[in-house]
Amino acid sequence: AQKITQTQPGMFVQEKEAVTLDCTYDTSDQSYGLFWYKQPSSGEMIFLIYQGSYDEQNATEGRYSLNFQKARKSANLVISASQLGDSAMYFCAMRAYFSNDYKLSFGAGTTVTVRA
Amino acid sequence: GAVVSQHPSWVICKSGTSVKIECRSLDFQATTMFWYRQFPKQSLMLMATSNEGSKATYEQGVEKDKFLINHASLTLSTLTVTSAHPEDSSFYICSARDLGGGPAGTQYFGPGTRLTVL
C-alpha cells in the first residue's frame, strides 16, 4: 500500500514569488508514478505534472516543476512566479505501476493562497 | 487535452429519492473510470472503480447497493445514489484514465457534482 504525506495544510505566498509544496511518500514498490493536481474553489481537479520513478530528470511543465528526490521519497512541487489564479488546494498523488487497478493514493492536500 | 464532463454540476433532492450522476470522457476512450467522494477541505476518497462492460469494484465500506455504478460504454459511467439521505450530501467527482495519451495512469477529472439531500 502507498501512503502520501503533505504536511502543510495551508500556505500564503506573495504574488510573483515562488512556492514549494512538500510531498513525501511511502511505498515498497520500485516502479511508480507521482502526480500533482490543483483543485480551485470551483472543485475541478486539474492535472499539473507527472514524475515517473525511473525518470532521471525532474519533470517541468511551464511554471510547475517537481523536485524529485527518490532516496528521500519526496516529490515537492515548485510553482514559480505565483499568480493570483494559483490560489487553490494542491494534491500530491501516487500510483504503483505493477498494480493493474490504476488507483491513485492522494495526500491530504495543501491550500495555497496567493496575495497581491 | 483530455476532457471529462459531469452532469449535473449540482443537485438538490428530497430524502428518499434517487439521484443519477453522469461522467463522460469527451475526447478520449476510458475503459476505467473512478468515482470519488470529497468532504469540504478534505482529500478525495475513492468509492469505486468502474470498468466498461463489467461490474464495478467498490472500496471497503462503500455500500454497493446504495451507490450503483454502471459503465455502459467507453465514454460514459453513471453513479446512482439510491434512496439518498442527508448524510449522502457531498461533492462527488469522477475521473477517467486516458487509454491513448497522458503519462501512465494519469486520471483526468470531471468538474464534480455537489449533492445536497434535504
Side-chain angles (χ1 to χ4, degrees):
Chain A
Q2 298 88 37
K3 183 179 179 182
I4 306 293
T5 302
Q6 294 180 254
T7 58
Q8 306 152 308
M11 299 181 70
F12 290 95
V13 59
Q14 205 63 32
E15 196 177 9
K16 300 181 184 177
E17 291 186 350
V19 61
T20 299
L21 308 183
D22 295 340
C23 172
T24 58
Y25 57 93
D26 187 17
T27 183
S28 57
D29 301 309
Q30 296 301 311
S31 182
Y32 50 86
L34 295 155
F35 304 80
W36 276 93
Y37 288 88
K38 170 185 178 181
Q39 187 178 40
S41 57
S42 60
E44 182 175 5
M45 293 279 285
I46 302 166
F47 166 65
L48 295 178
I49 196 167
Y50 162 84
Q51 179 85 42
S53 59
Y54 291 115
D55 293 341
E56 295 186 351
Q57 293 194 339
N58 287 341
T60 60
E61 286 289 345
R63 294 187 299 110
Y64 304 106
S65 60
L66 202 152
N67 184 1
F68 181 48
Q69 298 187 42
K70 192 170 182 178
R72 293 186 174 185
K73 292 188 176 179
S74 75
N76 299 339
L77 176 71
V78 180
I79 306 174
S80 63
S82 296
Q83 303 171 356
L84 295 177
D86 294 333
S87 294
M89 198 159 185
Y90 291 81
F91 291 96
C92 179
M94 176 181 178
R95 187 216 149 199
Y97 283 163
F98 83 91
S99 165
N100 291 325
D101 58 19
Y102 294 96
K103 291 181 186 178
L104 289 177
S105 298
F106 284 90
T110 296
T111 300
V112 173
T113 304
V114 181
R115 291 168 163 163
Chain B
V3 179
V4 177
S5 71
Q6 251 181 272
H7 179 80
S9 55
W10 60 270
V11 58
I12 301 172
C13 69
K14 292 183 179 179
S15 185
T17 60
S18 294
V19 174
K20 180 185 282 188
I21 302 170
E22 291 188 350
C23 178
R24 293 181 185 270
S25 56
L26 297 185
D27 52 0
F28 65 100
Q29 293 185 328
T31 56
T32 307
M33 291 185 174
F34 302 87
W35 287 96
Y36 296 85
R37 184 173 181 175
Q38 187 181 28
F39 293 103
K41 299 198 182 299
Q42 294 188 21
S43 189
L44 280 70
M45 181 186 76
L46 179 64
M47 298 174 66
T49 302
S50 170
N51 297 297
E52 187 265 339
S54 65
K55 290 183 179 180
T57 304
Y58 291 83
E59 294 301 299
Q60 194 172 6
V62 177
E63 299 177 60
K64 62 179 68 176
D65 294 330
K66 178 160 195 64
F67 299 100
L68 300 179
I69 291 172
N70 184 16
H71 195 151
S73 75
L74 286 174
T75 59
L76 173 64
S77 176
T78 61
L79 168 68
T80 301
V81 183
T82 62
S83 186
H85 289 96
E87 58 266 28
D88 299 322
S89 298
S90 190
F91 187 65
Y92 293 88
I93 189 166
C94 72
S95 70
R97 184 176 68 90
D98 187 353
L99 282 178
T106 301
Q107 292 182 23
Y108 296 93
F109 285 80
T113 297
R114 193 163 303 281
L115 170 64
T116 301
V117 185
L118 302 177

